[in-house]
Each structure stands twice: as C-alpha cells, then as structure tokens.
PDB file of all heavy atoms in Angstrom:
ATOM      1  N   PRO A   1       0.823  -1.209   0.000  1.00  0.00           N
ATOM      2  CA  PRO A   1       0.000   0.000   0.000  1.00  0.00           C
ATOM      3  C   PRO A   1       0.862   1.267   0.000  1.00  0.00           C
ATOM      4  O   PRO A   1       2.075   1.206   0.207  1.00  0.00           O
ATOM      5  CB  PRO A   1      -0.796  -0.125   1.297  1.00  0.00           C
ATOM      6  CG  PRO A   1       0.100  -0.923   2.209  1.00  0.00           C
ATOM      7  CD  PRO A   1       0.811  -1.881   1.321  1.00  0.00           C
ATOM      8  N   LEU A   2       0.198   2.399  -0.242  1.00  0.00           N
ATOM      9  CA  LEU A   2       0.887   3.693  -0.242  1.00  0.00           C
ATOM     10  C   LEU A   2       0.276   4.566   0.856  1.00  0.00           C
ATOM     11  O   LEU A   2      -0.519   5.468   0.604  1.00  0.00           O
ATOM     12  CB  LEU A   2       0.749   4.378  -1.609  1.00  0.00           C
ATOM     13  CG  LEU A   2       1.474   3.718  -2.779  1.00  0.00           C
ATOM     14  CD1 LEU A   2       1.150   4.427  -4.088  1.00  0.00           C
ATOM     15  CD2 LEU A   2       2.989   3.712  -2.551  1.00  0.00           C
ATOM     16  N   GLU A   3       0.651   4.256   2.118  1.00  0.00           N
ATOM     17  CA  GLU A   3       0.154   5.060   3.222  1.00  0.00           C
ATOM     18  C   GLU A   3       0.562   6.520   3.043  1.00  0.00           C
ATOM     19  O   GLU A   3       1.620   6.814   2.509  1.00  0.00           O
ATOM     20  CB  GLU A   3       0.686   4.549   4.567  1.00  0.00           C
ATOM     21  CG  GLU A   3       0.208   3.161   4.939  1.00  0.00           C
ATOM     22  CD  GLU A   3       1.182   2.080   4.542  1.00  0.00           C
ATOM     23  OE1 GLU A   3       2.025   2.332   3.643  1.00  0.00           O
ATOM     24  OE2 GLU A   3       1.100   0.978   5.110  1.00  0.00           O
ATOM     25  N   HIS A   4      -0.288   7.422   3.498  1.00  0.00           N
ATOM     26  CA  HIS A   4      -0.110   8.868   3.380  1.00  0.00           C
ATOM     27  C   HIS A   4      -0.361   9.361   1.954  1.00  0.00           C
ATOM     28  O   HIS A   4       0.036  10.479   1.603  1.00  0.00           O
ATOM     29  CB  HIS A   4       1.288   9.322   3.840  1.00  0.00           C
ATOM     30  CG  HIS A   4       1.704   8.759   5.163  1.00  0.00           C
ATOM     31  ND1 HIS A   4       1.081   9.093   6.331  1.00  0.00           N
ATOM     32  CD2 HIS A   4       2.679   7.856   5.492  1.00  0.00           C
ATOM     33  CE1 HIS A   4       1.651   8.438   7.339  1.00  0.00           C
ATOM     34  NE2 HIS A   4       2.610   7.681   6.857  1.00  0.00           N
ATOM     35  N   CYS A   5      -1.034   8.523   1.129  1.00  0.00           N
ATOM     36  CA  CYS A   5      -1.387   8.992  -0.211  1.00  0.00           C
ATOM     37  C   CYS A   5      -2.366  10.160  -0.092  1.00  0.00           C
ATOM     38  O   CYS A   5      -3.200  10.199   0.804  1.00  0.00           O
ATOM     39  CB  CYS A   5      -1.982   7.862  -1.040  1.00  0.00           C
ATOM     40  SG  CYS A   5      -3.388   7.013  -0.275  1.00  0.00           S
ATOM     41  N   ASP A   6      -2.246  11.107  -0.998  1.00  0.00           N
ATOM     42  CA  ASP A   6      -3.023  12.348  -0.901  1.00  0.00           C
ATOM     43  C   ASP A   6      -3.603  12.664  -2.276  1.00  0.00           C
ATOM     44  O   ASP A   6      -4.364  11.893  -2.826  1.00  0.00           O
ATOM     45  CB  ASP A   6      -2.118  13.458  -0.355  1.00  0.00           C
ATOM     46  CG  ASP A   6      -2.885  14.589   0.322  1.00  0.00           C
ATOM     47  OD1 ASP A   6      -3.986  14.910  -0.139  1.00  0.00           O
ATOM     48  OD2 ASP A   6      -2.374  15.160   1.304  1.00  0.00           O
ATOM     49  N   GLY A   7      -3.206  13.789  -2.881  1.00  0.00           N
ATOM     50  CA  GLY A   7      -3.744  14.167  -4.176  1.00  0.00           C
ATOM     51  C   GLY A   7      -3.242  13.268  -5.290  1.00  0.00           C
ATOM     52  O   GLY A   7      -2.136  12.717  -5.230  1.00  0.00           O
ATOM     53  N   LEU A   8      -4.070  13.132  -6.339  1.00  0.00           N
ATOM     54  CA  LEU A   8      -3.748  12.288  -7.484  1.00  0.00           C
ATOM     55  C   LEU A   8      -3.788  13.112  -8.767  1.00  0.00           C
ATOM     56  O   LEU A   8      -4.532  14.077  -8.883  1.00  0.00           O
ATOM     57  CB  LEU A   8      -4.758  11.144  -7.613  1.00  0.00           C
ATOM     58  CG  LEU A   8      -5.016  10.256  -6.391  1.00  0.00           C
ATOM     59  CD1 LEU A   8      -6.098   9.226  -6.737  1.00  0.00           C
ATOM     60  CD2 LEU A   8      -3.744   9.571  -5.933  1.00  0.00           C
ATOM     61  N   ALA A   9      -3.003  12.680  -9.753  1.00  0.00           N
ATOM     62  CA  ALA A   9      -3.088  13.216 -11.110  1.00  0.00           C
ATOM     63  C   ALA A   9      -2.902  12.050 -12.059  1.00  0.00           C
ATOM     64  O   ALA A   9      -2.165  11.102 -11.762  1.00  0.00           O
ATOM     65  CB  ALA A   9      -2.015  14.283 -11.358  1.00  0.00           C
ATOM     66  N   ILE A  10      -3.572  12.094 -13.210  1.00  0.00           N
ATOM     67  CA  ILE A  10      -3.492  10.980 -14.146  1.00  0.00           C
ATOM     68  C   ILE A  10      -3.190  11.481 -15.542  1.00  0.00           C
ATOM     69  O   ILE A  10      -3.658  12.544 -15.968  1.00  0.00           O
ATOM     70  CB  ILE A  10      -4.800  10.149 -14.110  1.00  0.00           C
ATOM     71  CG1 ILE A  10      -4.595   8.794 -14.777  1.00  0.00           C
ATOM     72  CG2 ILE A  10      -5.981  10.926 -14.697  1.00  0.00           C
ATOM     73  CD1 ILE A  10      -5.663   7.777 -14.430  1.00  0.00           C
ATOM     74  N   ASP A  11      -2.368  10.719 -16.265  1.00  0.00           N
ATOM     75  CA  ASP A  11      -1.998  11.019 -17.649  1.00  0.00           C
ATOM     76  C   ASP A  11      -1.986   9.695 -18.399  1.00  0.00           C
ATOM     77  O   ASP A  11      -1.042   8.925 -18.282  1.00  0.00           O
ATOM     78  CB  ASP A  11      -0.629  11.698 -17.695  1.00  0.00           C
ATOM     79  CG  ASP A  11      -0.201  12.025 -19.116  1.00  0.00           C
ATOM     80  OD1 ASP A  11      -1.087  12.177 -19.978  1.00  0.00           O
ATOM     81  OD2 ASP A  11       1.011  12.115 -19.366  1.00  0.00           O
ATOM     82  N   GLY A  12      -3.065   9.424 -19.147  1.00  0.00           N
ATOM     83  CA  GLY A  12      -3.180   8.112 -19.779  1.00  0.00           C
ATOM     84  C   GLY A  12      -3.319   7.046 -18.707  1.00  0.00           C
ATOM     85  O   GLY A  12      -4.189   7.126 -17.840  1.00  0.00           O
ATOM     86  N   THR A  13      -2.440   6.060 -18.747  1.00  0.00           N
ATOM     87  CA  THR A  13      -2.461   5.007 -17.727  1.00  0.00           C
ATOM     88  C   THR A  13      -1.431   5.254 -16.627  1.00  0.00           C
ATOM     89  O   THR A  13      -1.205   4.376 -15.790  1.00  0.00           O
ATOM     90  CB  THR A  13      -2.208   3.633 -18.363  1.00  0.00           C
ATOM     91  OG1 THR A  13      -0.956   3.650 -19.054  1.00  0.00           O
ATOM     92  CG2 THR A  13      -3.323   3.260 -19.334  1.00  0.00           C
ATOM     93  N   THR A  14      -0.824   6.421 -16.617  1.00  0.00           N
ATOM     94  CA  THR A  14       0.136   6.769 -15.563  1.00  0.00           C
ATOM     95  C   THR A  14      -0.559   7.579 -14.484  1.00  0.00           C
ATOM     96  O   THR A  14      -1.109   8.643 -14.751  1.00  0.00           O
ATOM     97  CB  THR A  14       1.322   7.563 -16.122  1.00  0.00           C
ATOM     98  OG1 THR A  14       1.999   6.785 -17.119  1.00  0.00           O
ATOM     99  CG2 THR A  14       2.311   7.904 -15.012  1.00  0.00           C
ATOM    100  N   LEU A  15      -0.535   7.051 -13.272  1.00  0.00           N
ATOM    101  CA  LEU A  15      -1.133   7.723 -12.120  1.00  0.00           C
ATOM    102  C   LEU A  15      -0.019   8.263 -11.235  1.00  0.00           C
ATOM    103  O   LEU A  15       0.892   7.525 -10.855  1.00  0.00           O
ATOM    104  CB  LEU A  15      -1.993   6.735 -11.320  1.00  0.00           C
ATOM    105  CG  LEU A  15      -2.656   7.266 -10.047  1.00  0.00           C
ATOM    106  CD1 LEU A  15      -3.753   8.270 -10.395  1.00  0.00           C
ATOM    107  CD2 LEU A  15      -3.219   6.114  -9.212  1.00  0.00           C
ATOM    108  N   TYR A  16      -0.104   9.550 -10.923  1.00  0.00           N
ATOM    109  CA  TYR A  16       0.859  10.183 -10.013  1.00  0.00           C
ATOM    110  C   TYR A  16       0.184  10.359  -8.659  1.00  0.00           C
ATOM    111  O   TYR A  16      -0.944  10.861  -8.580  1.00  0.00           O
ATOM    112  CB  TYR A  16       1.297  11.538 -10.549  1.00  0.00           C
ATOM    113  CG  TYR A  16       2.042  11.472 -11.869  1.00  0.00           C
ATOM    114  CD1 TYR A  16       1.387  11.704 -13.074  1.00  0.00           C
ATOM    115  CD2 TYR A  16       3.406  11.173 -11.901  1.00  0.00           C
ATOM    116  CE1 TYR A  16       2.066  11.650 -14.283  1.00  0.00           C
ATOM    117  CE2 TYR A  16       4.098  11.116 -13.109  1.00  0.00           C
ATOM    118  CZ  TYR A  16       3.412  11.356 -14.293  1.00  0.00           C
ATOM    119  OH  TYR A  16       4.084  11.288 -15.494  1.00  0.00           O
ATOM    120  N   VAL A  17       0.874   9.942  -7.601  1.00  0.00           N
ATOM    121  CA  VAL A  17       0.310   9.958  -6.257  1.00  0.00           C
ATOM    122  C   VAL A  17       1.189  10.794  -5.337  1.00  0.00           C
ATOM    123  O   VAL A  17       2.373  10.470  -5.145  1.00  0.00           O
ATOM    124  CB  VAL A  17       0.201   8.526  -5.685  1.00  0.00           C
ATOM    125  CG1 VAL A  17      -0.447   8.556  -4.303  1.00  0.00           C
ATOM    126  CG2 VAL A  17      -0.556   7.609  -6.635  1.00  0.00           C
ATOM    127  N   ALA A  18       0.652  11.871  -4.780  1.00  0.00           N
ATOM    128  CA  ALA A  18       1.392  12.631  -3.773  1.00  0.00           C
ATOM    129  C   ALA A  18       1.374  11.823  -2.478  1.00  0.00           C
ATOM    130  O   ALA A  18       0.307  11.537  -1.940  1.00  0.00           O
ATOM    131  CB  ALA A  18       0.760  14.002  -3.566  1.00  0.00           C
ATOM    132  N   VAL A  19       2.556  11.456  -1.991  1.00  0.00           N
ATOM    133  CA  VAL A  19       2.666  10.698  -0.742  1.00  0.00           C
ATOM    134  C   VAL A  19       3.253  11.674   0.270  1.00  0.00           C
ATOM    135  O   VAL A  19       4.468  11.836   0.388  1.00  0.00           O
ATOM    136  CB  VAL A  19       3.541   9.450  -0.913  1.00  0.00           C
ATOM    137  CG1 VAL A  19       3.498   8.587   0.349  1.00  0.00           C
ATOM    138  CG2 VAL A  19       3.074   8.632  -2.114  1.00  0.00           C
ATOM    139  N   ASN A  20       2.366  12.367   0.993  1.00  0.00           N
ATOM    140  CA  ASN A  20       2.763  13.573   1.705  1.00  0.00           C
ATOM    141  C   ASN A  20       3.848  13.375   2.766  1.00  0.00           C
ATOM    142  O   ASN A  20       4.879  14.041   2.745  1.00  0.00           O
ATOM    143  CB  ASN A  20       1.529  14.278   2.291  1.00  0.00           C
ATOM    144  CG  ASN A  20       0.668  13.389   3.177  1.00  0.00           C
ATOM    145  OD1 ASN A  20       1.162  12.569   3.939  1.00  0.00           O
ATOM    146  ND2 ASN A  20      -0.644  13.591   3.095  1.00  0.00           N
ATOM    147  N   ALA A  21       3.641  12.464   3.713  1.00  0.00           N
ATOM    148  CA  ALA A  21       4.595  12.313   4.815  1.00  0.00           C
ATOM    149  C   ALA A  21       5.925  11.716   4.363  1.00  0.00           C
ATOM    150  O   ALA A  21       6.933  11.825   5.073  1.00  0.00           O
ATOM    151  CB  ALA A  21       3.996  11.446   5.920  1.00  0.00           C
ATOM    152  N   ARG A  22       5.948  11.111   3.178  1.00  0.00           N
ATOM    153  CA  ARG A  22       7.206  10.574   2.642  1.00  0.00           C
ATOM    154  C   ARG A  22       7.919  11.597   1.757  1.00  0.00           C
ATOM    155  O   ARG A  22       8.997  11.324   1.226  1.00  0.00           O
ATOM    156  CB  ARG A  22       6.936   9.304   1.837  1.00  0.00           C
ATOM    157  CG  ARG A  22       6.375   8.140   2.662  1.00  0.00           C
ATOM    158  CD  ARG A  22       6.214   6.916   1.783  1.00  0.00           C
ATOM    159  NE  ARG A  22       5.526   5.836   2.465  1.00  0.00           N
ATOM    160  CZ  ARG A  22       5.150   4.702   1.876  1.00  0.00           C
ATOM    161  NH1 ARG A  22       5.381   4.522   0.574  1.00  0.00           N
ATOM    162  NH2 ARG A  22       4.533   3.765   2.574  1.00  0.00           N
ATOM    163  N   HIS A  23       7.277  12.727   1.540  1.00  0.00           N
ATOM    164  CA  HIS A  23       7.868  13.807   0.730  1.00  0.00           C
ATOM    165  C   HIS A  23       8.253  13.296  -0.660  1.00  0.00           C
ATOM    166  O   HIS A  23       9.346  13.572  -1.161  1.00  0.00           O
ATOM    167  CB  HIS A  23       9.087  14.414   1.440  1.00  0.00           C
ATOM    168  CG  HIS A  23       8.789  14.901   2.822  1.00  0.00           C
ATOM    169  ND1 HIS A  23       8.183  16.110   3.068  1.00  0.00           N
ATOM    170  CD2 HIS A  23       8.986  14.329   4.033  1.00  0.00           C
ATOM    171  CE1 HIS A  23       8.026  16.270   4.382  1.00  0.00           C
ATOM    172  NE2 HIS A  23       8.496  15.184   4.985  1.00  0.00           N
ATOM    173  N   GLU A  24       7.329  12.571  -1.290  1.00  0.00           N
ATOM    174  CA  GLU A  24       7.621  12.009  -2.607  1.00  0.00           C
ATOM    175  C   GLU A  24       6.345  11.862  -3.419  1.00  0.00           C
ATOM    176  O   GLU A  24       5.230  11.999  -2.909  1.00  0.00           O
ATOM    177  CB  GLU A  24       8.304  10.644  -2.467  1.00  0.00           C
ATOM    178  CG  GLU A  24       7.419   9.572  -1.863  1.00  0.00           C
ATOM    179  CD  GLU A  24       8.140   8.251  -1.657  1.00  0.00           C
ATOM    180  OE1 GLU A  24       9.379   8.264  -1.481  1.00  0.00           O
ATOM    181  OE2 GLU A  24       7.453   7.201  -1.657  1.00  0.00           O
ATOM    182  N   ILE A  25       6.537  11.574  -4.702  1.00  0.00           N
ATOM    183  CA  ILE A  25       5.448  11.266  -5.612  1.00  0.00           C
ATOM    184  C   ILE A  25       5.654   9.842  -6.111  1.00  0.00           C
ATOM    185  O   ILE A  25       6.716   9.517  -6.649  1.00  0.00           O
ATOM    186  CB  ILE A  25       5.405  12.237  -6.803  1.00  0.00           C
ATOM    187  CG1 ILE A  25       5.127  13.661  -6.311  1.00  0.00           C
ATOM    188  CG2 ILE A  25       4.349  11.812  -7.822  1.00  0.00           C
ATOM    189  CD1 ILE A  25       5.353  14.717  -7.355  1.00  0.00           C
TER     190      ILE A  25
END
C-alpha cells in the first residue's frame, strides 16, 4: 500500500500519487 497517499493526477495510464509524509510522488 501507499500510506499517506493524498492528491492524485493521471496522464493516460500513468497515475501520479502525492505521498505527503514521505515527501515524494
């Protein structure tokens, strides 16, 4: 799982996930 997942953005079949507490996407 991706705990701390937050906002999402999608481009085709690529999903970008803001993982806030990990300071990463």
Side-chain angles (χ1 to χ4, degrees):
L2 292 175
E3 295 95 339
H4 312 293
C5 54
D6 204 325
L8 307 178
I10 195 163
D11 180 25
T13 57
T14 300
L15 178 69
Y16 297 98
V17 182
V19 187
N20 55 38
R22 296 183 187 173
H23 305 280
E24 66 183 27
I25 297 168

